[in-house]
Amino acid sequence: MLGRAANGVYWMSRYLERAENTARLIDVGFHLALTRGNKHSQDEEWKSVLTTTGLLEDYCARHADITGPQVFNYLLRDRDNPGSVLAMLENARTNARMVRNSLTNAVWETTNEGWMHLSELLSRPVRETNLGEVLGQVRRTGTLVRGALEGTMLRNEVFNFSRIGTFIERADSTARILDVKYYVLLPSAAWVGSSLDNVQWDTLLRSVAGNRAYSWLNAGAMDPRGIARFLILDGQFPRSLVFCYEKIRSNMAGLVKEYGEETGAHEILRATGTGLHQTTIEDIFEMGLHEFLQDFIGKTQHLGNAIAADYRFIE
């Protein structure tokens, strides 16, 4: 029973987080495209969204060109796209239903109701006029389910696996967004400090729900290196890489208390987490931001695979 419940809630949480992260990427892609001066630049912005999600190759195999409405409908509701928001929410609901007896009524109801509402919204092609409503509902569903988990679940192994799934997915997403968007947004020298420059960096921070928190900590100054430091090393921000790994460490420690022993995944986690805590933003830029983030993404995928293997999780 434990393995089945842990497997279900782990993947439920990963799919919910992945759906929300995709919605945030679409939102930032849409707003950044509006700041672009010509159609080519707008299409390049949507291409970067597909690149971040890892779906560019699949999209190009199905579509001859890249346009905003075509991209966000593909990412939101395309039945032939297993990485669509609709598919991920269906997978989250299926996993929740399989382990319903291990979830509180509040967790199941918020998951099921969120899926029902979004299924209705996504039953028709999404237009720019209702895109904001759809994306807002995806974010609300994730927020409500997390709130139900936090407020009603016992702090046992099922809860721990849910949190581990959430933060592995979140760390991977933050790293991918920063890796792709950082260089897309590096402006020409003439734009530095301009209103357009600030809008673009602010929109990047919005994609990880970090614009207000960053402004509080940095008096609103949009500094590219400061943004990289914030998203990687700030232990107060709940979507930074350091914060995510600290939460994974805490919940993995909870599993040790439950089971009385560590697995190989704990050693992988310890090595990556220690490296994060010991590095500085100067070290990262000396290594190369892209190289650092690609290495981090690979290690996070390795950790997720190790957890799935150690606890016999099957996606």
Side-chain angles (χ1 to χ4, degrees):
M1 190 278 289
L2 171 61
R4 181 171 173 268
N7 181 80
V9 77
Y10 175 80
W11 287 114
M12 178 195 82
S13 297
R14 289 201 68 165
Y15 282 125
L16 282 170
E17 183 69 23
R18 196 178 302 174
E20 182 177 346
N21 291 336
T22 300
R24 292 184 181 281
L25 276 172
I26 295 170
D27 187 50
V28 74
F30 177 67
H31 284 93
L32 283 174
L34 293 177
T35 70
R36 301 303 192 183
N38 55 68
K39 185 180 183 302
H40 174 73
S41 297
Q42 292 171 3
D43 294 347
E44 283 297 305
E45 179 55 45
W46 285 112
K47 182 178 179 180
S48 78
V49 171
L50 291 166
T51 300
T52 307
T53 61
L55 293 170
L56 177 61
E57 183 177 345
D58 183 75
Y59 175 91
C60 290
R62 301 172 189 273
H63 302 282
D65 54 0
I66 295 176
T67 63
Q70 196 161 259
V71 170
F72 61 67
N73 274 282
Y74 167 80
L75 291 173
L76 286 170
R77 61 183 299 274
D78 193 323
R79 287 286 180 179
D80 294 325
N81 173 19
S84 72
V85 166
L86 183 60
M88 287 184 280
L89 289 170
E90 288 178 345
N91 287 335
R93 179 181 180 269
T94 297
N95 277 283
R97 186 178 58 195
M98 288 191 302
V99 296
R100 186 171 174 179
N101 290 338
S102 299
L103 302 174
T104 61
N105 287 337
V107 175
W108 163 249
E109 288 170 3
T110 51
T111 304
N112 189 48
E113 289 170 6
W115 172 79
M116 291 173 64
H117 191 175
L118 282 160
S119 293
E120 172 62 23
L121 286 174
L122 295 174
S123 64
R124 300 170 295 277
V126 179
R127 303 181 184 278
E128 290 185 357
T129 52
N130 70 322
L131 178 60
E133 178 189 1
V134 173
L135 298 179
Q137 181 58 37
V138 177
R139 293 193 298 268
R140 279 192 294 275
T141 296
T143 299
L144 288 171
V145 174
R146 284 195 301 274
L149 280 160
E150 288 283 347
T152 66
M153 289 289 291
L154 292 173
R155 269 36 178 184
N156 57 11
E157 63 276 4
V158 175
F159 177 81
N160 283 324
F161 279 119
S162 170
R163 297 277 286 177
I164 291 166
T166 293
F167 284 106
I168 285 179
E169 199 66 44
R170 186 175 295 180
D172 179 83
S173 176
T174 297
R176 289 178 185 276
I177 289 171
L178 182 58
D179 188 31
V180 173
K181 297 295 185 184
Y182 192 91
Y183 290 107
V184 169
L185 287 179
L186 280 178
S188 69
W191 287 1
V192 174
S194 69
S195 58
L196 176 62
D197 183 32
N198 289 339
V199 166
Q200 289 176 331
W201 285 112
D202 183 69
T203 307
L204 167 61
L205 288 167
R206 285 178 186 274
S207 71
V208 291
N211 55 311
R212 184 163 296 183
Y214 179 84
S215 294
W216 285 336
L217 294 174
N218 297 275
M222 291 296 172
D223 170 49
R225 182 177 289 245
I227 290 173
R229 181 189 295 107
F230 175 69
L231 295 181
I232 296 171
L233 300 175
D234 195 305
Q236 299 179 83
F237 179 55
R239 290 182 179 271
S240 76
L241 307 189
V242 163
F243 186 97
C244 289
Y245 261 74
E246 180 58 27
K247 292 302 179 182
I248 297 169
R249 183 205 61 75
S250 174
N251 290 110
M252 291 283 280
L255 297 182
V256 175
K257 292 181 180 178
E258 292 282 347
Y259 300 137
E261 62 180 2
E262 292 189 348
T263 68
H266 288 82
E267 184 59 36
I268 295 170
L269 170 66
R270 193 155 36 242
T272 304
T274 299
L276 265 179
H277 280 286
Q278 291 180 347
T279 196
T280 66
I281 197 65
E282 289 73 24
D283 295 333
I284 291 170
F285 274 86
E286 183 176 347
M287 174 183 180
L289 181 63
H290 173 70
E291 289 74 16
F292 170 84
L293 291 170
Q294 285 296 303
D295 181 64
F296 176 85
I297 291 167
K299 288 176 178 176
T300 300
Q301 290 177 333
H302 184 38
L303 174 61
N305 292 338
I307 291 170
D310 289 349
Y311 295 101
R312 296 180 174 84
F313 290 170
I314 301 173
E315 185 173 9

